[in-house]
Amino acid sequence: AVESLEAMFLNVKNPDFPSTIHTREVFLPSTGRYLPYNFKLHDKPAPVVFILPGLGGHRDGGSALALAEMAYRRGFSVAILSNAYNWEFMERASTAAVPGHTPVDARDAHVALDAVSRDPGAQFSGRITERVLMGYSMGAFHAFFIAAAEQSEDNKLVPFDRYVTLDAPVQLRL
């Protein structure tokens, strides 16, 4: 319980950081809709961290921005999507009527991550040295499923060089 309560202190250190984040949208053929995402690139080629927030987390949420700020300060470019349980993701990127079936939710997140990594308007091309997937809480749980799916020969979606999972649930049953 103590560790969970400490999460409320996870917030940006520099109050100007959120205003330096750019927002774009990518088209998702799986839903026929556009999904917004946030990103901030370094001037020179750098690894990029793709961030999946926790349960219901939005790309503009405090914990997602705090993780982005930490990664950016350590030399990573960052891209943030909303969580599969967030209204924005459900409305625009989910292929299911409601979220909750993790293999489908994680696949939808992976499809969105693939679209973001290929977005020519974000000028990622030639500026990404590595791709890192960072998930927090439920986002970490989805990252585990994405990592497992990458092992499939059928997978044609963006691969990741590394995974960072923070506070991932061990099991979802009580």
Side-chain angles (χ1 to χ4, degrees):
V2 172
E3 290 83 8
S4 294
L5 291 173
E6 291 289 330
M8 65 189 271
F9 297 113
L10 182 60
N11 214 330
V12 294
K13 302 292 184 224
N14 177 356
D16 295 328
F17 181 78
S19 65
T20 67
I21 298 283
H22 303 282
T23 302
R24 286 193 50 81
E25 292 184 335
V26 288
F27 180 74
L28 302 175
S30 58
T31 62
R33 297 194 169 159
Y34 286 88
L35 178 70
Y37 70 95
N38 294 348
F39 73 101
K40 182 169 176 69
L41 297 177
H42 274 281
D43 295 335
K44 296 181 180 174
V48 64
V49 175
F50 294 85
I51 299 172
L52 294 177
L55 185 69
H58 190 268
R59 58 191 165 80
D60 287 330
S63 61
L65 290 171
L67 293 171
E69 180 186 37
M70 284 187 258
Y72 189 81
R73 285 187 10 219
R74 285 167 179 79
F76 292 86
S77 293
V78 293
I80 314 167
L81 277 73
S82 294
N83 181 273
Y85 284 76
N86 181 274
W87 66 269
E88 180 177 82
F89 192 96
M90 284 189 272
E91 181 180 90
R92 299 172 180 220
S94 181
T95 58
V98 293
H101 185 59
T102 302
V104 172
D105 296 341
R107 171 75 179 175
D108 289 343
H110 200 177
V111 167
L113 290 162
D114 183 70
V116 168
S117 74
R118 298 174 195 277
D119 182 7
Q123 299 140 2
F124 285 136
S125 181
R127 296 184 61 188
I128 295 177
T129 60
E130 282 185 293
R131 288 178 179 86
V132 179
L133 179 57
M134 177 189 290
Y136 176 76
S137 189
M138 184 57 81
F141 195 64
H142 290 157
F144 283 137
F145 274 77
I146 291 169
E150 270 191 19
Q151 306 308 309
S152 169
E153 291 180 21
D154 305 1
N155 183 46
K156 303 293 185 230
L157 299 174
V158 61
F160 296 95
D161 299 295
R162 289 185 273 166
Y163 294 88
V164 178
T165 59
L166 305 170
D167 199 21
V170 177
Q171 63 176 330
L172 298 179
R173 290 186 262 165
L174 297 175

PDB file of all heavy atoms in Angstrom, residues 35-57:
ATOM      1  N   LEU A  35      -5.774   8.743 -33.829  1.00  0.00           N
ATOM      2  CA  LEU A  35      -5.447   8.690 -32.410  1.00  0.00           C
ATOM      3  C   LEU A  35      -4.376   9.725 -32.098  1.00  0.00           C
ATOM      4  O   LEU A  35      -3.300   9.710 -32.705  1.00  0.00           O
ATOM      5  CB  LEU A  35      -4.929   7.298 -32.029  1.00  0.00           C
ATOM      6  CG  LEU A  35      -4.504   7.141 -30.564  1.00  0.00           C
ATOM      7  CD1 LEU A  35      -5.722   7.174 -29.648  1.00  0.00           C
ATOM      8  CD2 LEU A  35      -3.717   5.854 -30.377  1.00  0.00           C
ATOM      9  N   PRO A  36      -4.633  10.626 -31.149  1.00  0.00           N
ATOM     10  CA  PRO A  36      -3.603  11.589 -30.752  1.00  0.00           C
ATOM     11  C   PRO A  36      -2.527  10.921 -29.893  1.00  0.00           C
ATOM     12  O   PRO A  36      -2.792   9.959 -29.179  1.00  0.00           O
ATOM     13  CB  PRO A  36      -4.347  12.640 -29.930  1.00  0.00           C
ATOM     14  CG  PRO A  36      -5.762  12.246 -29.886  1.00  0.00           C
ATOM     15  CD  PRO A  36      -5.906  10.895 -30.480  1.00  0.00           C
ATOM     16  N   TYR A  37      -1.332  11.452 -29.975  1.00  0.00           N
ATOM     17  CA  TYR A  37      -0.243  11.032 -29.103  1.00  0.00           C
ATOM     18  C   TYR A  37       0.646  12.242 -28.868  1.00  0.00           C
ATOM     19  O   TYR A  37       0.595  13.220 -29.602  1.00  0.00           O
ATOM     20  CB  TYR A  37       0.548   9.866 -29.714  1.00  0.00           C
ATOM     21  CG  TYR A  37       1.383  10.232 -30.910  1.00  0.00           C
ATOM     22  CD1 TYR A  37       2.734  10.561 -30.773  1.00  0.00           C
ATOM     23  CD2 TYR A  37       0.837  10.253 -32.186  1.00  0.00           C
ATOM     24  CE1 TYR A  37       3.503  10.911 -31.873  1.00  0.00           C
ATOM     25  CE2 TYR A  37       1.595  10.590 -33.288  1.00  0.00           C
ATOM     26  CZ  TYR A  37       2.933  10.920 -33.125  1.00  0.00           C
ATOM     27  OH  TYR A  37       3.690  11.270 -34.220  1.00  0.00           O
ATOM     28  N   ASN A  38       1.450  12.174 -27.827  1.00  0.00           N
ATOM     29  CA  ASN A  38       2.389  13.244 -27.498  1.00  0.00           C
ATOM     30  C   ASN A  38       3.806  12.780 -27.785  1.00  0.00           C
ATOM     31  O   ASN A  38       4.111  11.591 -27.639  1.00  0.00           O
ATOM     32  CB  ASN A  38       2.296  13.608 -26.011  1.00  0.00           C
ATOM     33  CG  ASN A  38       0.970  14.210 -25.636  1.00  0.00           C
ATOM     34  OD1 ASN A  38       0.174  14.568 -26.498  1.00  0.00           O
ATOM     35  ND2 ASN A  38       0.722  14.334 -24.358  1.00  0.00           N
ATOM     36  N   PHE A  39       4.668  13.736 -28.155  1.00  0.00           N
ATOM     37  CA  PHE A  39       6.061  13.371 -28.362  1.00  0.00           C
ATOM     38  C   PHE A  39       6.969  14.571 -28.158  1.00  0.00           C
ATOM     39  O   PHE A  39       6.549  15.718 -28.232  1.00  0.00           O
ATOM     40  CB  PHE A  39       6.284  12.760 -29.744  1.00  0.00           C
ATOM     41  CG  PHE A  39       6.237  13.747 -30.877  1.00  0.00           C
ATOM     42  CD1 PHE A  39       7.410  14.217 -31.455  1.00  0.00           C
ATOM     43  CD2 PHE A  39       5.027  14.207 -31.372  1.00  0.00           C
ATOM     44  CE1 PHE A  39       7.370  15.132 -32.494  1.00  0.00           C
ATOM     45  CE2 PHE A  39       4.977  15.117 -32.416  1.00  0.00           C
ATOM     46  CZ  PHE A  39       6.158  15.581 -32.978  1.00  0.00           C
ATOM     47  N   LYS A  40       8.222  14.267 -27.885  1.00  0.00           N
ATOM     48  CA  LYS A  40       9.270  15.280 -27.771  1.00  0.00           C
ATOM     49  C   LYS A  40      10.558  14.610 -28.225  1.00  0.00           C
ATOM     50  O   LYS A  40      10.974  13.595 -27.683  1.00  0.00           O
ATOM     51  CB  LYS A  40       9.395  15.776 -26.336  1.00  0.00           C
ATOM     52  CG  LYS A  40      10.454  16.873 -26.175  1.00  0.00           C
ATOM     53  CD  LYS A  40      10.358  17.506 -24.802  1.00  0.00           C
ATOM     54  CE  LYS A  40      11.452  18.526 -24.561  1.00  0.00           C
ATOM     55  NZ  LYS A  40      11.331  19.733 -25.361  1.00  0.00           N
ATOM     56  N   LEU A  41      11.163  15.202 -29.254  1.00  0.00           N
ATOM     57  CA  LEU A  41      12.387  14.641 -29.829  1.00  0.00           C
ATOM     58  C   LEU A  41      13.600  15.462 -29.422  1.00  0.00           C
ATOM     59  O   LEU A  41      13.520  16.688 -29.321  1.00  0.00           O
ATOM     60  CB  LEU A  41      12.306  14.628 -31.359  1.00  0.00           C
ATOM     61  CG  LEU A  41      11.228  13.779 -32.011  1.00  0.00           C
ATOM     62  CD1 LEU A  41      11.271  13.947 -33.511  1.00  0.00           C
ATOM     63  CD2 LEU A  41      11.404  12.322 -31.634  1.00  0.00           C
ATOM     64  N   HIS A  42      14.703  14.772 -29.266  1.00  0.00           N
ATOM     65  CA  HIS A  42      15.981  15.471 -29.095  1.00  0.00           C
ATOM     66  C   HIS A  42      16.434  15.978 -30.460  1.00  0.00           C
ATOM     67  O   HIS A  42      15.995  15.484 -31.498  1.00  0.00           O
ATOM     68  CB  HIS A  42      17.030  14.534 -28.497  1.00  0.00           C
ATOM     69  CG  HIS A  42      16.966  14.491 -27.002  1.00  0.00           C
ATOM     70  ND1 HIS A  42      17.492  15.468 -26.201  1.00  0.00           N
ATOM     71  CD2 HIS A  42      16.418  13.583 -26.171  1.00  0.00           C
ATOM     72  CE1 HIS A  42      17.280  15.167 -24.943  1.00  0.00           C
ATOM     73  NE2 HIS A  42      16.621  14.030 -24.892  1.00  0.00           N
ATOM     74  N   ASP A  43      17.323  16.957 -30.468  1.00  0.00           N
ATOM     75  CA  ASP A  43      17.813  17.530 -31.719  1.00  0.00           C
ATOM     76  C   ASP A  43      18.616  16.536 -32.544  1.00  0.00           C
ATOM     77  O   ASP A  43      18.625  16.597 -33.766  1.00  0.00           O
ATOM     78  CB  ASP A  43      18.678  18.758 -31.440  1.00  0.00           C
ATOM     79  CG  ASP A  43      17.873  19.895 -30.817  1.00  0.00           C
ATOM     80  OD1 ASP A  43      16.641  19.932 -31.031  1.00  0.00           O
ATOM     81  OD2 ASP A  43      18.462  20.727 -30.122  1.00  0.00           O
ATOM     82  N   LYS A  44      19.309  15.638 -31.874  1.00  0.00           N
ATOM     83  CA  LYS A  44      20.151  14.653 -32.555  1.00  0.00           C
ATOM     84  C   LYS A  44      19.520  13.275 -32.421  1.00  0.00           C
ATOM     85  O   LYS A  44      18.662  13.065 -31.557  1.00  0.00           O
ATOM     86  CB  LYS A  44      21.544  14.658 -31.930  1.00  0.00           C
ATOM     87  CG  LYS A  44      22.256  15.980 -32.115  1.00  0.00           C
ATOM     88  CD  LYS A  44      23.634  15.949 -31.515  1.00  0.00           C
ATOM     89  CE  LYS A  44      24.286  17.312 -31.745  1.00  0.00           C
ATOM     90  NZ  LYS A  44      25.556  17.435 -31.103  1.00  0.00           N
ATOM     91  N   PRO A  45      19.936  12.316 -33.256  1.00  0.00           N
ATOM     92  CA  PRO A  45      19.405  10.962 -33.110  1.00  0.00           C
ATOM     93  C   PRO A  45      19.571  10.444 -31.680  1.00  0.00           C
ATOM     94  O   PRO A  45      20.601  10.674 -31.040  1.00  0.00           O
ATOM     95  CB  PRO A  45      20.246  10.147 -34.094  1.00  0.00           C
ATOM     96  CG  PRO A  45      20.647  11.141 -35.138  1.00  0.00           C
ATOM     97  CD  PRO A  45      20.863  12.430 -34.388  1.00  0.00           C
ATOM     98  N   ALA A  46      18.549   9.772 -31.197  1.00  0.00           N
ATOM     99  CA  ALA A  46      18.542   9.270 -29.820  1.00  0.00           C
ATOM    100  C   ALA A  46      17.579   8.085 -29.739  1.00  0.00           C
ATOM    101  O   ALA A  46      16.713   7.914 -30.595  1.00  0.00           O
ATOM    102  CB  ALA A  46      18.083  10.373 -28.867  1.00  0.00           C
ATOM    103  N   PRO A  47      17.724   7.282 -28.685  1.00  0.00           N
ATOM    104  CA  PRO A  47      16.703   6.251 -28.457  1.00  0.00           C
ATOM    105  C   PRO A  47      15.376   6.933 -28.134  1.00  0.00           C
ATOM    106  O   PRO A  47      15.360   8.034 -27.580  1.00  0.00           O
ATOM    107  CB  PRO A  47      17.215   5.483 -27.235  1.00  0.00           C
ATOM    108  CG  PRO A  47      18.582   5.982 -26.957  1.00  0.00           C
ATOM    109  CD  PRO A  47      18.769   7.270 -27.680  1.00  0.00           C
ATOM    110  N   VAL A  48      14.276   6.295 -28.486  1.00  0.00           N
ATOM    111  CA  VAL A  48      12.962   6.844 -28.148  1.00  0.00           C
ATOM    112  C   VAL A  48      12.275   5.881 -27.189  1.00  0.00           C
ATOM    113  O   VAL A  48      12.330   4.665 -27.367  1.00  0.00           O
ATOM    114  CB  VAL A  48      12.094   7.121 -29.396  1.00  0.00           C
ATOM    115  CG1 VAL A  48      11.762   5.857 -30.142  1.00  0.00           C
ATOM    116  CG2 VAL A  48      10.819   7.862 -29.028  1.00  0.00           C
ATOM    117  N   VAL A  49      11.662   6.442 -26.155  1.00  0.00           N
ATOM    118  CA  VAL A  49      10.883   5.668 -25.202  1.00  0.00           C
ATOM    119  C   VAL A  49       9.414   5.898 -25.517  1.00  0.00           C
ATOM    120  O   VAL A  49       8.941   7.038 -25.516  1.00  0.00           O
ATOM    121  CB  VAL A  49      11.178   6.098 -23.744  1.00  0.00           C
ATOM    122  CG1 VAL A  49      10.257   5.370 -22.781  1.00  0.00           C
ATOM    123  CG2 VAL A  49      12.615   5.841 -23.383  1.00  0.00           C
ATOM    124  N   PHE A  50       8.703   4.820 -25.804  1.00  0.00           N
ATOM    125  CA  PHE A  50       7.260   4.858 -26.019  1.00  0.00           C
ATOM    126  C   PHE A  50       6.617   4.525 -24.673  1.00  0.00           C
ATOM    127  O   PHE A  50       6.897   3.463 -24.106  1.00  0.00           O
ATOM    128  CB  PHE A  50       6.840   3.837 -27.073  1.00  0.00           C
ATOM    129  CG  PHE A  50       7.361   4.154 -28.443  1.00  0.00           C
ATOM    130  CD1 PHE A  50       8.625   3.750 -28.837  1.00  0.00           C
ATOM    131  CD2 PHE A  50       6.583   4.860 -29.342  1.00  0.00           C
ATOM    132  CE1 PHE A  50       9.114   4.036 -30.104  1.00  0.00           C
ATOM    133  CE2 PHE A  50       7.057   5.152 -30.618  1.00  0.00           C
ATOM    134  CZ  PHE A  50       8.330   4.739 -30.991  1.00  0.00           C
ATOM    135  N   ILE A  51       5.785   5.411 -24.165  1.00  0.00           N
ATOM    136  CA  ILE A  51       5.233   5.260 -22.819  1.00  0.00           C
ATOM    137  C   ILE A  51       3.752   4.890 -22.866  1.00  0.00           C
ATOM    138  O   ILE A  51       2.959   5.563 -23.526  1.00  0.00           O
ATOM    139  CB  ILE A  51       5.429   6.558 -22.006  1.00  0.00           C
ATOM    140  CG1 ILE A  51       6.928   6.859 -21.878  1.00  0.00           C
ATOM    141  CG2 ILE A  51       4.766   6.448 -20.634  1.00  0.00           C
ATOM    142  CD1 ILE A  51       7.248   8.198 -21.257  1.00  0.00           C
ATOM    143  N   LEU A  52       3.416   3.799 -22.156  1.00  0.00           N
ATOM    144  CA  LEU A  52       2.030   3.383 -21.964  1.00  0.00           C
ATOM    145  C   LEU A  52       1.683   3.605 -20.494  1.00  0.00           C
ATOM    146  O   LEU A  52       2.220   2.927 -19.622  1.00  0.00           O
ATOM    147  CB  LEU A  52       1.849   1.894 -22.307  1.00  0.00           C
ATOM    148  CG  LEU A  52       2.052   1.482 -23.749  1.00  0.00           C
ATOM    149  CD1 LEU A  52       1.908  -0.032 -23.893  1.00  0.00           C
ATOM    150  CD2 LEU A  52       1.077   2.201 -24.660  1.00  0.00           C
ATOM    151  N   PRO A  53       0.803   4.555 -20.177  1.00  0.00           N
ATOM    152  CA  PRO A  53       0.451   4.831 -18.782  1.00  0.00           C
ATOM    153  C   PRO A  53      -0.372   3.716 -18.141  1.00  0.00           C
ATOM    154  O   PRO A  53      -0.798   2.773 -18.808  1.00  0.00           O
ATOM    155  CB  PRO A  53      -0.371   6.111 -18.862  1.00  0.00           C
ATOM    156  CG  PRO A  53      -0.336   6.570 -20.257  1.00  0.00           C
ATOM    157  CD  PRO A  53       0.159   5.448 -21.108  1.00  0.00           C
ATOM    158  N   GLY A  54      -0.632   3.891 -16.855  1.00  0.00           N
ATOM    159  CA  GLY A  54      -1.412   2.923 -16.091  1.00  0.00           C
ATOM    160  C   GLY A  54      -2.896   2.996 -16.389  1.00  0.00           C
ATOM    161  O   GLY A  54      -3.355   3.780 -17.225  1.00  0.00           O
ATOM    162  N   LEU A  55      -3.646   2.179 -15.674  1.00  0.00           N
ATOM    163  CA  LEU A  55      -5.080   1.989 -15.874  1.00  0.00           C
ATOM    164  C   LEU A  55      -5.829   3.306 -16.060  1.00  0.00           C
ATOM    165  O   LEU A  55      -5.879   4.140 -15.159  1.00  0.00           O
ATOM    166  CB  LEU A  55      -5.670   1.241 -14.675  1.00  0.00           C
ATOM    167  CG  LEU A  55      -7.134   0.865 -14.779  1.00  0.00           C
ATOM    168  CD1 LEU A  55      -7.328  -0.211 -15.834  1.00  0.00           C
ATOM    169  CD2 LEU A  55      -7.641   0.365 -13.439  1.00  0.00           C
ATOM    170  N   GLY A  56      -6.370   3.503 -17.251  1.00  0.00           N
ATOM    171  CA  GLY A  56      -7.159   4.686 -17.562  1.00  0.00           C
ATOM    172  C   GLY A  56      -6.353   5.957 -17.754  1.00  0.00           C
ATOM    173  O   GLY A  56      -6.923   7.021 -17.971  1.00  0.00           O
ATOM    174  N   GLY A  57      -5.026   5.846 -17.701  1.00  0.00           N
ATOM    175  CA  GLY A  57      -4.175   7.026 -17.787  1.00  0.00           C
ATOM    176  C   GLY A  57      -4.215   7.699 -19.152  1.00  0.00           C
ATOM    177  O   GLY A  57      -4.257   7.044 -20.188  1.00  0.00           O
TER     178      GLY A  57
END
